Amino acid sequence: MRKRMKYVRYMLQRRRRLGEFHLMVPEQRVFDNQSHMDSFRMNPTRFQNLLEKIGARLHHKKTHRDPIGPAERLAVTLKFLATGIEQKHLANYVRMGRSTLCYIVRETCQAIWDVLQPEVLKVPGHEDWLNIADCFDKRWDFPHCIGAIDGKHVVIQAPALSVSTYFNYKHQHSIVLMAVCDGRYRFTLVDIGAAGRNSDGGIFAHSPMGMAMENGSLDIPKPCPLTESESQPFPYVFVGDEAFPLKNFLMRPFPGRDVGPMTGEKYEKNIYNYRLSRARRIIVNTFGIWSARWRIFKRPIIAATESVELYIKATICLHNWLRVSDCSESPDNDQYCPSVYTDTENEDGSPANDGQWRTDAAYALRNLTQTGSNMYTRDACDIRNNFKQYFVSEAGSVPWQEQYIRRGSIPDH
């Protein structure tokens, strides 16, 4: 039997001499740190740290003359996720076959998820929730808040034979990413992959995240007073916008935007909505930073839904890993998310500058539609009213809130 011959295109045979990884990356590492950041969203040291973590999973036995090593596999995957370049074009730059590149990206994303998820995206425990609540209280003036929740539609090309399964209210095909973040722009809980056409209320209610909140299996601390001088116990809660239902564990704004004199009940409700909005916009910034840094989400993704879910999983883990690594090593020199990258405030609580993520890339993700309803328990209503009363009390108010509310502009982003 005649031995089968393997044909490799001439252009691909010259990968080690003329491929981008072998020509440019060594120079970026030595001479151009910013260019390395733009290509891979991390500096050379951080790249090497990541390679040491997942390299063993990317190493393959030598099956032909010119195997693609773990460093090159990681580099092309990060390049693809960070720039959003189409795979067929990236394959030409790095001189790989398109099917080979596609396989490498999927394999590397899976390795990133398998290795980093237990480290940077594990479900918080009792002490973790307390630390998150402490951060929200000190930085965003919302006590007993253990996370901000929101959902986004990640736009994709219509999958084959899907008909209208993924067709959403924006007349686009999408899968839904629902997530909770802490006060430092890090994801803590995620649910990935619900079809865009599904009822958004159903997505939240039937997601593992929503069910865990409902049945109390997240090891959330028990209700306790906000201050030593008070006896009223307050539960630990998540905060969301009008898209979410009012629950004992989930606070949303009071509905509607009142006009006219700010007095009495109307004033108190607007104070509460303002304070909740300050805490809730952390998840908006988190999504913004994530999608601006990983620009594959800037336009509709042309890939199988399973691959899109892998891209989301990998980039969420990379986002958290880089946030934790950069902040713990040098908070003032955070290259992945510098201080100008997030929305900032003046001393009086008014917006100072929009985060740079808003201009760095088109914010291609879409908000969820209405998921909540007017149906809620009396307990949930009482909890929201208790927070409302606390925010206008001497113990719970902040100096600038009244002036800000009377200007008539409550931030909703």
Side-chain angles (χ1 to χ4, degrees):
M1 184 175 178
R2 193 171 70 176
K3 186 177 180 181
R4 182 180 177 182
M5 296 182 63
K6 295 181 179 179
Y7 170 73
V8 180
R9 294 167 58 194
Y10 177 70
M11 186 185 76
L12 305 186
Q13 293 175 12
R14 308 174 76 190
R15 174 172 57 82
R16 287 192 176 275
R17 289 179 52 203
L18 300 176
E20 180 180 306
F21 176 79
H22 299 279
L23 281 179
M24 294 184 60
V25 174
E27 293 185 353
Q28 288 177 326
R29 289 175 179 170
V30 178
F31 302 111
D32 198 339
N33 187 277
Q34 185 57 51
S35 178
H36 195 282
M37 277 291 302
D38 292 341
S39 295
F40 308 118
R41 297 299 184 248
M42 60 188 72
N43 60 39
T45 301
R46 200 73 70 226
F47 181 94
Q48 189 61 35
N49 293 342
L50 180 59
L51 181 61
E52 291 172 0
K53 285 179 175 290
I54 70 171
R57 290 175 175 259
L58 305 180
H59 184 76
H60 291 260
K61 293 181 180 179
K62 186 174 181 180
T63 56
H64 51 83
R65 295 181 182 177
D66 193 18
I68 301 173
E72 190 169 0
R73 289 169 179 267
L74 177 58
V76 297
T77 300
L78 293 178
K79 181 85 169 183
F80 170 69
L81 297 173
T83 62
I85 186 174
E86 291 187 29
Q87 288 188 354
K88 63 180 180 181
H89 297 313
L90 180 58
N92 289 334
Y93 296 149
V94 298
R95 295 185 179 244
M96 293 182 187
R98 184 178 178 182
S99 60
T100 300
L101 176 68
C102 182
Y103 173 80
I104 286 174
V105 169
R106 288 200 304 267
E107 180 190 50
T108 306
C109 285
Q110 186 66 59
I112 291 171
W113 171 259
D114 291 342
V115 173
L116 293 187
Q117 183 272 327
E119 177 184 339
V120 300
L121 197 60
K122 62 182 179 180
V123 178
H126 186 275
E127 291 299 321
D128 298 318
W129 291 124
L130 290 175
N131 291 333
I132 293 172
D134 184 63
C135 177
F136 267 101
D137 189 11
K138 291 179 177 177
R139 297 187 64 175
W140 309 113
D141 302 299
F142 201 111
H144 280 209
C145 176
I146 53 176
I149 184 172
D150 201 0
K152 296 296 178 184
H153 288 273
V154 178
V155 183
I156 61 175
Q157 184 184 53
L161 306 179
S162 65
V163 192
S164 61
T165 302
Y166 296 90
F167 196 67
N168 63 31
Y169 74 104
K170 287 282 190 179
H171 307 296
Q172 297 171 316
H173 296 268
S174 65
I175 62 176
V176 175
L177 164 62
M178 193 167 291
V180 175
C181 75
D182 63 13
R184 300 183 184 275
Y185 310 105
R186 297 177 296 202
F187 295 103
T188 55
L189 299 171
V190 296
D191 182 77
I192 303 166
R197 68 165 295 205
N198 292 336
S199 162
D200 295 324
I203 293 174
F204 172 72
H206 296 100
S207 67
M209 177 199 309
M211 289 188 288
M213 293 179 188
E214 192 72 56
N215 61 32
S217 61
L218 290 177
D219 195 22
I220 294 173
K222 300 295 183 182
C224 63
L226 296 180
T227 63
E228 295 181 357
S229 61
E230 292 187 5
S231 58
Q232 174 68 42
F234 281 73
Y236 288 84
V237 297
F238 301 93
V239 295
D241 60 14
E242 296 88 346
F244 294 92
L246 180 65
K247 299 279 187 178
N248 291 17
F249 55 84
L250 178 56
M251 294 291 101
R252 55 167 282 172
F254 284 101
R257 284 183 174 274
D258 294 329
V259 295
M262 287 292 176
T263 59
E265 183 76 5
K266 183 188 301 183
Y267 167 77
E268 294 175 355
K269 286 182 178 180
N270 277 277
I271 290 291
Y272 167 88
N273 284 357
Y274 163 64
R275 296 286 290 275
L276 183 137
S277 178
R278 279 190 81 227
R280 186 190 61 78
R281 67 182 177 183
I282 305 307
I283 185 62
V284 179
N285 275 257
T286 303
F287 275 129
I289 296 163
W290 168 70
S291 62
R293 283 309 195 192
W294 307 104
R295 297 195 179 189
I296 185 176
F297 304 110
K298 183 179 179 181
R299 57 177 65 90
I301 303 175
I302 304 174
T305 54
E306 295 81 3
S307 296
V308 177
E309 290 178 25
L310 271 180
Y311 304 157
I312 296 172
K313 289 179 177 179
T315 51
I316 284 176
C317 286
L318 289 168
H319 171 91
N320 275 12
W321 183 68
L322 290 167
R323 287 290 297 142
V324 171
S325 301
D326 285 358
C327 288
S328 61
E329 186 175 291
S330 179
D332 296 330
N333 190 31
D334 186 347
Q335 293 180 294
Y336 177 77
C337 180
S339 57
V340 296
Y341 220 65
T342 59
D343 294 341
T344 57
E345 295 179 335
N346 297 312
E347 292 183 0
D348 63 355
S350 62
N353 295 294
D354 285 342
Q356 190 177 326
W357 64 263
R358 296 180 183 274
T359 55
D360 265 14
Y363 195 29
L365 305 179
R366 298 293 183 262
N367 288 313
L368 289 181
T369 53
Q370 184 74 15
T371 67
S373 70
N374 291 326
M375 302 297 294
Y376 48 80
T377 66
R378 172 54 57 184
D379 286 345
C381 183
D382 289 342
I383 291 170
R384 180 166 65 176
N385 284 330
N386 289 340
F387 273 107
K388 179 190 69 175
Q389 293 299 325
Y390 176 76
F391 290 146
V392 297
S393 69
E394 183 178 352
S397 64
V398 291
W400 63 83
Q401 66 182 26
E402 182 172 350
Q403 177 184 1
Y404 195 79
I405 289 302
R406 294 193 184 282
R407 286 205 298 261
S409 58
I410 299 177
D412 57 2
H413 58 285

